[in-house]
Structures are given as C-alpha cells and as structure tokens.
Amino acid sequence: MAGFDKVVSSYEEAMAGLEDNMTIIAGGFGLCGIPENLISEIEKRGTKGLTIVSNNCGVDNFGLGLLLPNRQIKKIIASYVGENAEFERQMMSGELDVELTPQGTLAEKMRAGGAGIPAFFTATGYGTPVAEGKEEREIGGKHYILEHAIKGDFAIVKAWKADRYGNLIFRKTARNFNPMAATAGKITVVEVEEIVESGELDPDQIHTPGIYVNRIILGTFEKRIEQRTIQATQ
Amino acid sequence: MAGFDKVVSSYEEAMAGLEDNMTIIAGGFGLCGIPENLISEIEKRGTKGLTIVSNNCGVDNFGLGLLLPNRQIKKIIASYVGENAEFERQMMSGELDVELTPQGTLAEKMRAGGAGIPAFFTATGYGTPVAEGKEEREIGGKHYILEHAIKGDFAIVKAWKADRYGNLIFRKTARNFNPMAATAGKITVVEVEEIVESGELDPDQIHTPGIYVNRIILGTFEKRIEQRTIQATQ
Amino acid sequence: MTLSREQMAQRVAQEIQDGFYVNLGIGIPTLVANYLPAGIEVMLQSENGLLGMGQFPTEETVDADLINAGKQTVTVAKGASFFDSAESFAMIRGGHVDLTVLGAFEVDVNGNIASYMIPGKLIKGMGGAMDLVAGAENIIVTMTHASKHGQSKLLANCSLPLTGKGCIKKVLTDLAFIEIKAGKFHLIEHAPGVTVEEIVKLTEGELVVPAKVPEMKF
Amino acid sequence: MTLSREQMAQRVAQEIQDGFYVNLGIGIPTLVANYLPAGIEVMLQSENGLLGMGQFPTEETVDADLINAGKQTVTVAKGASFFDSAESFAMIRGGHVDLTVLGAFEVDVNGNIASYMIPGKLIKGMGGAMDLVAGAENIIVTMTHASKHGQSKLLANCSLPLTGKGCIKKVLTDLAFIEIKAGKFHLIEHAPGVTVEEIVKLTEGELVVPAKVPEMKF
C-alpha cells in the first residue's frame, strides 16, 4: 500500500489483525447498511470474546446474528435486539452480556469516540434504568446524565462508493450509524459497492473523508430486507 | 408562508424579530462564507447590545466589522479577532467584551447547542487560560475541561444553494461554521446564491436538512478575499 | 364506544399543523399519517436518518437501502433529506421536531412514561424512544386507557421502568384526550359515547374533570 | 550557522512519511510543503474545513470560497474533501491527523507550549492552536531557539500563558532538533556549523546531551 491507496483485495486482508476479545464497532440499522461480508469474514475467522457495538444484532442467520451460534460475541452494546431467537437464548441464559443504550446516545457515543470528546451530558435516559450508576447534573434547570465515548479496535462499515483514498459516499438510509462507526475504530475497514479513482468524487459531496478509513474492499451484497412493505396496488 | 416554503423576499423580513441584547450565531471563517447581507441588514437596523458568536469579527469595513462603528456589539465569542483596528480599540478600552474560545471548541459548542447536548468534555484548553473557572476532570488518564453549549436567538448563515424547504448545500470551504450555526438558532436565517424548487436537490447530498432553517433569502454577494494569494506564474 | 386504532390516529392528526416536522412511532402513531387534515403539509422524520418519509414503495420501487425506523421499506417525499444517526438524534434531542407521537405501557401524573420494558419479560431495548421523549417539546402518547383486564394505564406513579421522566404532557387514549399539568391529569375531551364516569373509573392517577367536558370531533 | 527558515522546513519535512495526513500551521510550518521527500504522498489538512489542500491558485482559478486556515486562497489536491468546522476539529481532536507542525513563543521541559498570547500585547486569539496541540499525537514545534536578544525559548517553565499542557514532544529550532521526554529536553541533532556548546548555552531548561550528537542532514 503506497500513499493513500487503501484498497485491499481480500476479506482476509481486510480483517487482518482482528484478535480475540477485541471491540468492534459496526455500522447498520436493522439489516440496512450492514457490512455483511465483513461480518461473514469474522464468522469465518472464529474470533471469540468480541465486544460488539451496533444498533442491532442482525437476525438468526444474517448480519451480526451469524456470530451467535459459535458464541463469538461476549458482549453487545445496542439499542434494540429484537428479532433473533438464538440471541434471546444466550441473553436469557447469561452467556451474552447485553448493554442496552438509547439509539441517539449510542450514535453520539460513537461520534464522541471519533471526535476526541471523552464524555457528554444528555437528557436521554435521565430518571430511567439507563441512568443507573451515571452522574446526573442539572444544567439550566433541566436534568442530564453523563455518557462516555466509545472507541473500537476495529470499525466495520458499509458504504456505497469509495475512492481509492477512502473517501466515502453512503446511499439513502443505509448511511445510519456508518459514518460515526468509521470515525471510532483504531482500524476502520469499509466495504463498498463501487470503487472509483481518487479525484472522481466531488469534494463537496463526500460524507466521510478518507482520513478516518484504513482499508477499502469491493464487495457484493445480498441486502436482505427485514420488513418488505409494499403499497397496496390501486 | 404555507407548508414548508421558507423563502422570504426582503432582508427586512429575513431579520424580523431581531431585538436589542439578543444573541446571534454567525457562520463564516474570516470573510469566507459569511452572511454578508444579513450582517448589513443588522447594521441598518441599528440593533444594539448584541452578543455575537462567530469565529472572527470581520474586517474594518466588511462583515461583522460593520457592526462596530455604531457599537452594536456588546460581547463577542470568537477564536481569532485579528484584522480590525476599531475592534482592537473597543476591546482595549473595555467597551467590547471579548470571550476567546478555541476554534474547535467553538464549533463543538454550536453543534452541541443545536443537538441538545448541554455540555461536553474536551482536552482543548486544559491547563491554559481557557480552563479558568471551568470544571476539570481526568478520564482514562487524560485531562479534560467541561465546556457548555451555545444557542442563539438568531443564527445567520450563508449557504450556496437552498430549496424552498430550507435544505442547504454549501460550497467548498465556505461551509465552515455555517452548518453548526444553522442548528443553534431559535430563528435560523439563511442567505443563498440560488434557490431551487423542493425536490430538485439530491436527498443524499444535502448538508443541512431544512428542519433547522426558518427563513431563506436570495442574495448577491461581494465575497471579499482577505488574503488573495496567487501562484507565481511559471 | 371506545375509539378504534384508526379513530385514535385520526384524533391525533388534528393536532398537527401546517409545516410541522413530525416523528411517528410504531403502531397507532404510524396510522396518523393516513389522517392528516386536508391542505396541510407535514414532513415525517424517521430516526434512522430520513426527513421526508413517503409512502410504501411499489414492487418496482422497493429499495433495501431505504427503510424507516420500523425497518419497513418506504419511499421519500418531495424535499426529503438523508443523514446519519448522530445528525438524526441531534434533530430529536435538540428539540427541532415539532411533534412526536408514540405508544406507551403507562403514563403518570408527573409526565413519566414507561414504554420499553416489562421486568421478567424479554427485554428488546428502547431503540430511539428514550431520545425521543427526552428531546421533544411536544409529545402525544397514544395508548389504550386501560389493560384488557381493566387496569388503568394512567397512574399516580408508573410501576414499570421509565423511558423518560417528566416529559409527557398529552395522552390520547381510546377513551379520552388528557393533558398533564402540575402533577395531575386533566380531562380535555371524551370519546363519543364514552362517559366521564367511565374515564374517571379507569384513571388511577388524580384526574381533574372540568364542569363541561367536550366530546371529540372527527 | 543557524538554519534558515527554509532549512528548518526542510528538516521537518524529513519527518513526514508516505500516506501522512498533516496539518501545517502558519509561518515556517507552511513552508514544509515545499520540501516533501520525493515519491511520498501527503494530504494537507486545513482546519477551516479542507483535507487535501493544493497549491495557490492562478489568477484564473482563484475562488473566494476556497481558502486555507491562514485565509489565503488555495486549490484542492486530488482526492480532497470539504467538511464543516465541527467535523474538521473532530479529526484534529480525535487524533486522526498524523502530524501537526506549528510555531510557538516558548516550549518547556514538561512539553508545555505557549504560542498565542503575550500579556500586555494585543491578544488576537488562539484560533485552532489549542485544539491542534490538545488533539494531535504527533506535533513538531518550529521556532527559533532563542529571541533576538539571546533569551532562550526552551525553558524550564513557560513564562507566557499556555496554549497546551504536556503535549509537545519534538521541537525543531534554527540550532537543533530536540525531543522532550520525562521532564527533560534531549538533544537529537545539531544544525550544521552549530556547536553543542552554543545549543546548551541557549537552552534554559535541562538539556540531556548524548556522548555523540549527530549533525542534521539535508
């Protein structure tokens, strides 16, 4: 890899350096905009004891749910962990540690991790179970709790397009947590649908500047739909 | 004004409701991307006792510097206030209250104001005069100070293009503080070089969603250059 | 006659004004979009990163990259924008959304809301609900007034873990439209065919009943 | 012979590696871009919202909307991106910039830096300097070793108000390349024609001098 060319040619290379007990921050909301092939690579590697930071944990046989059967996940920090029978089993049996975090707080914690903000106050969760053990403070007559930043050893991200320098463009609501995740990994790996030459993307239209990105890989995606909802035909 | 059409037709209308002693958050870096006609309108209105939050304070006869001769500014929160003789005079004589704030902290304070984050920790300014009177805290072995959000009665913003719903696109480094300023005003007024119909901007390429914007006005701009630097011809 | 889900949505829709940015939760709140008053424009915010949510797609326009917060495929309305989750919750937390409509298990006289967790039952998570209730200035909770077993959901004190503290001011149930002020419920309207007595009976928290209680209009 | 401004920039440039994202302050740091080693690629970050700063424009390409942090008109390099100031300082504060080069009035043995304010003189502000020193993992300070009056700028304790505390590890002066470790200055290289004795004489803070001090190479 010379200069800023961040393109790697195999998923093995993309996830090189991943070790047991690391923390991985993942983009995606439900199954939308998830780094599906990077997740499959983690499944294949069999890495164990992982802490996963992601809004959701996939479904039984897709997305982060793939890491459950072999018990690769030790802990997950997520806002909603519904649609997954194996997940529920491991959570109820105590095999899996689940830290529920409000969605906006989770997004802000990732952003803070990337932005060098170690902690911030938010009204979200004040007076709820989320506030337990956290500092509370009244500011300007309103109540807030202190939340801390999250950083990962790896961030795994799905973008639409990248240039070779790692500048990223996301597509529609597949953007979601991906830009924040990209900033918060010591090593940020991004899989994309298209790689263009550097200089081809409009500098005004880049969602994530390449400075946050370490590796880029071109993938093909199933893009499974969780709730396919179609208008009644007229 | 019906629905989401936020276009107003005069600068008078654009700044309607501005009163003495209000706080105004302004976009712009140096003279780049400043809401120059909105500033002129404030000069014209003669509003006094203003608190201005802006990275800089313009120059003697352009930008926010226009508000100095008639002493319209009571206080300015800025990171750098160099190039302005009248500014220096008023600061040295104590007529003008200047609160110097590091540039990144200023940007983050505006963002926090808009994002409902009342306060955040940052390493910036720890151990310096900026830390005086502020809470200090060690987190993960590093030292931080607590900084609070800034909100304005008005935010004045310069964008490149807008649609009638107030969705904004900025151009090159004229973006700077404008997107954060746009989120932090009770009333956010934006002047632009072009207004297009709603639906004409690509939803993936909007820098500031219209939800933050209250009024849009079409302007013409001098765009004065502070340091015109040209390559030696070969 | 208690209100149907559709009638509840219809009554909530009357609270929406022209030019409102609105976040509609899953369930009854989602139905509100079907009953918007004629001639007004509304933009729907979906907290997964979309302002200007449109209708469901057709078979031809369905797009896996375009879903709402309920993970359903959707389309965009005119003037829509996409953004990341941090920006989305900046909008919500920063109070930029004009109206939020969401469901709940319980609400109490102090404006507390419990909506995400029943101890002993499977906990799926709060999603964006805690952010929504903490950030919005204007929230309408929609829920049935009481459980199937006749237990009030409008309480003196919420019994379930809270989603938010002191943040709810309006509740629309299948029986009544209620406001919360100064530590009390206030009966604003009753559903057609529902008596004030029935409402009082099914409201556990202190309920202030004015001399004349208007009937909801549709 | 003390180093010229250009030589100082040239020596700093040797510290830059292929693929580095670099923020160059105003003055000598700016000159560093002219001396990048052959065959390496560097992207310059300008804290007003540009990654991938290019050369100065021609008369034809000058654009008021495209300036650097020194407010000079510039152009963009291949693969550049624009962003807002919050994002720009997220990069800086978050430690994503590989190398920051900036000037100073004083540096001390504890890595403190004073660079923005001389009491009694007009205070123009810190701009982005406090953010840069607090956020960067890797900073090189460039400054003359001593004032015109022979007063050392490498001190036991900074006398001026600080820009940052405990954040500087490398200083390149017109006399020497110095590292700061464990509360002491360490002499790494001397400028050609400058003796170790001269450096010792003009360094007020404790200076560790190894048995053999290499001469800077250009």
Side-chain angles (χ1 to χ4, degrees), chain A:
Chain A
M1 201 163 70
F4 295 94
D5 190 345
K6 295 168 181 175
V7 178
V8 298
S9 52
S10 72
Y11 276 93
E12 208 176 350
E13 201 182 337
M15 291 308 295
L18 181 68
E19 290 171 19
D20 287 355
N21 304 310
M22 278 185 166
T23 295
I24 300 176
I25 302 190
F29 178 92
L31 301 181
C32 180
I34 61 171
E36 47 183 87
N37 301 294
L38 292 170
I39 294 166
S40 296
E41 171 63 22
I42 298 168
E43 181 199 12
K44 210 171 104 189
R45 298 171 91 91
T47 320
K48 304 265 186 188
L50 296 171
T51 295
I52 300 286
V53 184
S54 167
N55 191 56
N56 314 92
C57 196
V59 292
D60 267 330
N61 58 358
F62 196 65
L64 288 166
L66 292 174
L67 306 184
L68 292 166
N70 289 322
R71 301 201 30 213
Q72 294 179 257
I73 306 177
K74 182 178 63 185
K75 178 179 179 178
I76 180 151
I77 301 173
S79 87
Y80 191 83
V81 291
E83 345 295 349
N84 194 314
E86 176 61 17
F87 186 97
E88 292 174 15
R89 195 196 60 72
Q90 291 188 21
M91 179 168 67
M92 297 311 257
S93 70
E95 295 163 60
L96 180 61
D97 183 9
V98 180
E99 185 177 320
L100 289 176
T101 302
Q103 196 178 142
T105 296
L106 185 62
E108 192 69 9
K109 281 162 88 86
M110 289 185 193
R111 178 193 180 268
I117 299 291
F120 56 90
F121 284 98
T122 177
T124 302
Y126 167 73
T128 78
V130 164
E132 276 166 31
K134 288 175 187 160
E135 181 179 335
E136 295 181 4
R137 185 174 302 200
E138 197 176 326
I139 301 173
K142 216 180 150 182
H143 295 274
Y144 299 93
I145 60 172
L146 186 67
E147 293 280 5
H148 285 78
I150 296 182
K151 293 176 82 162
D153 298 297
F154 273 79
I156 55 174
V157 167
K158 158 70 171 62
W160 180 42
K161 276 190 191 183
D163 68 15
R164 301 186 74 89
Y165 284 11
N167 292 308
L168 307 180
I169 294 179
F170 301 93
R171 184 171 177 274
K172 302 189 177 179
T173 57
R175 194 181 320 181
N176 56 61
F177 283 84
N178 282 296
M180 281 76 66
T183 68
K186 274 183 213 150
I187 297 176
T188 292
V189 188
V190 184
E191 57 175 343
V192 298
E193 298 176 46
E194 186 184 350
I195 298 176
V196 302
E197 289 305 317
S198 304
E200 284 189 31
L201 301 178
D202 179 348
D204 268 325
Q205 302 295 13
I206 288 164
H207 294 135
T208 293
I211 194 169
Y212 296 114
V213 175
N214 298 93
R215 303 170 191 166
I216 294 282
I217 185 159
L218 186 66
T220 54
F221 299 85
E222 176 185 339
K223 293 196 188 182
R224 195 180 294 183
I225 293 174
E226 218 162 332
Q227 304 282 345
R228 189 184 190 87
T229 319
I230 304 291
Q231 241 181 82
T233 36
Q234 312 285 310

Side-chain angles (χ1 to χ4, degrees), chain D residues 4-202:
Chain D
S4 66
R5 288 162 55 89
E6 286 72 20
Q7 285 172 310
M8 289 172 69
Q10 206 174 343
R11 178 62 192 85
V12 170
Q14 295 172 16
E15 299 296 300
I16 296 178
Q17 296 170 28
D18 193 26
F20 260 26
Y21 295 97
V22 179
N23 184 296
L24 301 176
I26 294 165
I28 295 169
T30 303
L31 300 175
V32 172
N34 301 332
Y35 297 99
L36 295 175
I40 75 163
E41 285 184 60
V42 166
M43 287 199 99
L44 300 178
Q45 205 257 14
S46 191
E47 64 265 28
N48 57 317
L50 166 58
L51 184 66
M53 182 167 61
Q55 299 180 295
F56 293 128
T58 61
E59 280 292 350
E60 292 71 38
T61 59
V62 69
D63 184 340
D65 288 342
L66 180 44
I67 66 170
N68 65 16
K71 291 161 193 163
Q72 298 169 307
T73 46
V74 292
T75 59
V76 294
K78 191 180 72 169
S81 53
F82 297 112
F83 34 81
D84 64 46
S85 302
E87 180 69 50
S88 186
F89 284 93
M91 277 175 204
I92 289 167
R93 211 192 297 105
H96 302 279
V97 174
D98 296 299
L99 178 66
T100 294
V101 186
L102 41 74
F105 301 142
E106 299 174 347
V107 166
D108 73 24
V109 293
N110 292 310
N112 299 329
I113 173 173
S115 66
Y116 86 103
M117 177 182 174
I118 297 178
K121 275 201 172 182
L122 184 73
I123 301 157
K124 293 197 169 189
M126 68 294 284
M130 283 191 183
D131 308 280
L132 281 159
V133 298
E137 295 291 311
N138 189 1
I139 304 170
I140 302 179
V141 167
T142 60
M143 61 178 189
T144 54
H145 208 97
S147 73
K148 285 168 198 161
H149 313 293
Q151 279 188 301
S152 178
K153 296 180 177 179
L154 289 104
L155 306 175
N157 288 293
C158 285
S159 66
L160 298 170
L162 298 185
T163 307
K165 194 167 173 179
C167 44
I168 306 301
K169 299 193 187 86
K170 292 177 187 172
V171 185
L172 191 279
T173 74
D174 51 345
L175 305 185
F177 192 30
I178 287 186
E179 280 187 18
I180 303 175
K181 273 184 291 196
K184 290 173 188 171
F185 293 124
H186 294 256
L187 183 57
I188 304 300
E189 293 175 4
H190 67 84
V194 173
T195 66
V196 169
E197 289 67 34
E198 286 174 90
I199 295 165
V200 170
K201 200 180 130 210
L202 289 170

Side-chain angles (χ1 to χ4, degrees), chain B residues 7-17 41 45 189 215 217:
Chain B
V7 177
V8 298
S9 53
S10 72
Y11 276 92
E12 209 175 350
E13 201 181 338
M15 292 307 296
E41 171 64 20
R45 296 172 92 91
V189 188
R215 303 172 191 164
I217 184 159

